[in-house]
Amino acid sequence: MEKGRILLVDDDADLLRLLSLRMKTAGYAVSTAASGNEALSVLAMEHPSLVITDLKMDEMDGMALLDAIRRDYPTLPVIILTAHGSIPDALLAADQGVFAFLTKPFDGKDLMAQVERAFSLTAAVLPSSGKKGRDSSWDRILTRSPKMQTVLDQARLVAASDASVFVHGASGTGKELLAQAIHQASPRRNQAFIALNCAAFPEQLLESELFGHKKGAFTGAANNHQGLFQAADSGTLFLDEIGDMPLSLQVKLLRALQERVIRPVGATESIAVDVRIISASHRDLEQEMAARRFRDDLYYRLCVVTLDLPALAERPEDIPLLAEFFLRDTAAKNRKDVRGIAPEAMELLVGAPWPGNVRQLANVIEQAVVLSTTPRIGAPLIRHALRDREGEVMPLADAKGRFEMHYLIQIMRMTRGNVSQAAQLAQRNRTEFYRLLRRYHLDPAAFKETGSDEGEAEV
């Protein structure tokens, strides 16, 4: 069984081959790159658990590559190797967050010890005893997006702690599902996970839901009521749309977080609670603070760690994956013989703006499946579900720089490595398209899928 994937980066082909053999012999999967720019392309296509790079390379050296990795993949460990090691280099690498800095000729045992240490730290934050398969929130999050994968890596790291987490993301991006996944990977996994949408209750009822109330505390309070803080004791309480909580109630929530006690409405005595808080909102809480609609002190209590969930439009490579999952799931539930999505229809899906994010995509696919009279969903059904008459894939000429690279990856994944179809989608001839692929070190064979992704998807 493979222990994990390592990306090796070196412009010395012989050393790259030697390192690759050593890592494969130790049981690791290996990807290679002969330059920093090629390494960025591989990172965009795959998601290795560790990068080992040479320091001195033409065009982009190891320090520049480290800087680029830190911007886009802040939790990815990087080991730098160099024959030109110096104290200033090592200090600079340490300042920029390098995992280890080894000087050539390095001891093979020292390198493998650092590799094993990097993977042991990664393994320590992976869900270890949560449910598997369709019952696990981690398995229900489907992605090929490096941006989304970075968020998941950060979520796994924070899950092992007891820090309060704030999840920021638009409606439909999967904030509650991510909160459930964090809970399942935490030491509290065997206790309750309880979710509450703060925007769904008026102020007095929200206070009662959170802290409970005593019989007779207000009109209609015919019995004692246990609040969600008590119900989630020793577990996790997920407060969705926390930005909609009234200011007067924010004061009471702050006291509960600071003192770890709550007082039910109408009660005279406090009750000790031990609850981890994960909160979420589609609102920008910093803007809400500036507008005096959200308390600064509560913000800093809730946002010890902030995770930003990308909108679906920011992870277009996930659209075909999610669409195919929703199609299989909806077809099975509705006993419909619908087995695929036509390329023109998939083009419309990838080009749509998706203001409702993954939830909207699920609804569009469900509508198309229910209305379909053929085994394959065509463009007219998708256009009708999107209420859109255009929805074309963006012309490749409009993409620049790194976005051009992601554009190529997106359509190569859509066509599963079929260069002719990809070139047609990009409105370019095959010769020019091959030239673009070579520019970004993209191998069509890397996009040929051999199996389907399992699991559920976030909504």
Side-chain angles (χ1 to χ4, degrees):
M1 177 183 293
E2 291 178 351
K3 298 179 180 180
R5 180 166 293 276
I6 300 174
L7 171 59
L8 304 175
V9 190
D10 203 313
D11 54 6
D12 183 335
D14 291 335
L15 183 58
L16 200 60
R17 198 159 38 245
L18 179 63
L19 280 174
S20 180
L21 179 61
R22 184 188 295 271
M23 298 303 157
K24 288 179 179 178
T25 301
Y28 296 100
V30 174
S31 299
T32 60
S35 68
N37 287 322
E38 184 179 351
L40 292 178
S41 296
V42 175
L43 281 168
M45 292 168 55
E46 304 174 4
H47 195 77
S49 300
L50 172 67
V51 175
I52 302 176
T53 180
D54 189 22
L55 177 63
K56 300 297 182 182
M57 298 183 290
D58 293 335
E59 297 180 6
M60 177 183 287
D61 65 12
M63 295 305 299
L65 176 59
L66 174 64
D67 184 57
I69 290 173
R70 282 291 156 267
R71 285 196 305 270
D72 294 338
Y73 314 95
T75 62
L76 180 61
V78 178
I79 296 175
I80 292 182
L81 309 176
T82 180
H84 309 275
S86 66
I87 292 177
D89 284 335
L91 290 175
L92 179 59
D95 287 342
Q96 293 191 4
V98 71
F99 184 81
F101 190 92
L102 300 179
T103 303
K104 301 175 185 176
F106 53 83
D107 186 300
K109 292 182 179 179
D110 290 343
L111 175 60
M112 294 311 301
Q114 294 292 353
V115 169
E116 290 170 6
R117 187 167 71 92
F119 275 92
S120 68
L121 291 175
T122 302
V125 300
L126 291 175
S128 58
S129 62
K131 295 180 180 179
K132 300 296 182 181
R134 302 175 72 86
D135 292 328
S136 170
S137 294
W138 292 105
D139 295 326
R140 292 163 57 197
I141 303 175
L142 302 181
T143 187
R144 293 170 177 156
S145 164
K147 183 178 291 188
M148 185 66 176
Q149 191 60 55
T150 295
V151 175
L152 296 182
D153 288 347
Q154 294 171 343
R156 288 188 174 100
L157 286 168
V158 74
S161 73
D162 212 32
S164 297
V165 180
F166 174 70
V167 183
H168 179 258
S171 177
T173 50
K175 298 187 290 293
E176 182 172 345
L177 186 63
L178 183 62
Q180 290 175 338
I182 292 171
H183 171 74
Q184 289 180 358
S186 77
R188 298 174 180 263
R189 64 177 67 90
N190 295 322
Q191 305 302 320
F193 173 88
I194 297 178
L196 175 71
N197 188 321
C198 298
F201 296 89
E203 181 175 351
Q204 185 179 35
L205 187 54
L206 180 58
E207 182 179 7
S208 175
E209 283 296 303
L210 285 171
F211 307 120
H213 65 253
K214 289 292 186 179
K215 179 180 178 180
F218 51 83
T219 302
N223 299 290
N224 290 337
H225 172 69
Q226 183 187 64
L228 297 184
F229 263 91
Q230 285 181 269
D233 193 30
S234 300
T236 302
L237 180 58
F238 174 58
L239 300 178
D240 198 5
E241 299 305 347
I242 191 73
D244 292 293
M245 178 176 285
L247 278 168
S248 58
L249 196 51
Q250 291 178 29
V251 177
K252 298 177 180 179
L253 176 59
L254 177 63
R255 178 177 180 273
L257 298 180
Q258 287 178 331
E259 301 180 17
R260 292 183 173 270
V261 296
I262 55 117
R263 182 178 296 174
V265 179
T268 57
E269 295 182 352
S270 297
I271 300 171
V273 290
D274 173 22
V275 176
R276 183 189 194 169
I277 298 293
I278 302 177
S279 56
S281 178
H282 72 284
R283 299 181 185 274
D284 186 325
L285 292 191
E286 292 186 358
Q287 291 182 4
E288 294 297 298
M289 285 194 299
R292 302 299 180 189
R293 291 189 293 266
F294 202 87
R295 294 180 60 94
D296 296 27
D297 44 10
L298 179 58
Y299 172 84
Y300 292 114
R301 278 283 176 180
L302 293 172
C303 303
V304 176
V305 177
T306 299
L307 301 176
D308 288 296
L309 273 176
L312 184 57
E314 298 177 53
R315 36 187 285 225
E317 60 267 56
D318 284 346
I319 292 174
L321 174 67
L322 292 165
E324 290 169 1
F325 167 79
F326 290 134
L327 182 143
R328 293 193 303 269
D329 188 61
T330 305
K333 289 178 180 177
N334 291 276
R335 297 182 295 279
K336 295 275 291 190
D337 184 23
V338 181
R339 300 186 295 273
I341 300 173
E344 298 83 1
M346 188 65 78
E347 180 180 346
L348 289 171
L349 292 172
V350 173
W354 300 113
N357 294 291
V358 179
R359 185 182 296 122
Q360 182 190 3
L361 174 60
N363 292 340
V364 165
I365 297 300
E366 182 175 9
Q367 178 178 330
V369 169
V370 170
L371 297 179
S372 179
T373 57
T374 63
R376 175 177 283 197
I377 293 174
L381 273 178
I382 295 298
R383 188 176 290 115
H384 174 74
L386 289 170
R387 294 176 175 82
D388 175 39
R389 295 184 178 275
E390 299 296 332
E392 296 179 355
V393 169
M394 181 186 300
L396 185 59
D398 292 343
K400 300 294 181 182
R402 290 182 64 186
F403 182 79
E404 185 175 63
M405 176 185 70
H406 287 284
Y407 179 99
L408 293 169
I409 292 171
Q410 169 191 323
I411 57 178
M412 288 298 287
R413 280 180 171 151
M414 287 170 54
T415 59
R416 292 179 171 79
N418 188 312
V419 176
S420 297
Q421 291 182 14
Q424 184 177 5
L425 283 175
Q427 302 172 18
R428 291 294 183 271
N429 62 54
R430 281 170 53 91
T431 301
E432 182 182 0
F433 196 82
Y434 269 116
R435 187 161 56 248
L436 287 168
L437 292 177
R438 286 195 295 272
R439 179 187 302 172
Y440 293 100
H441 312 284
L442 301 176
D443 181 4
F447 298 92
K448 297 185 184 301
E449 298 183 353
T450 58
S452 61
D453 297 86
E454 299 296 333
E456 297 185 33
E458 75 271 24
V459 293

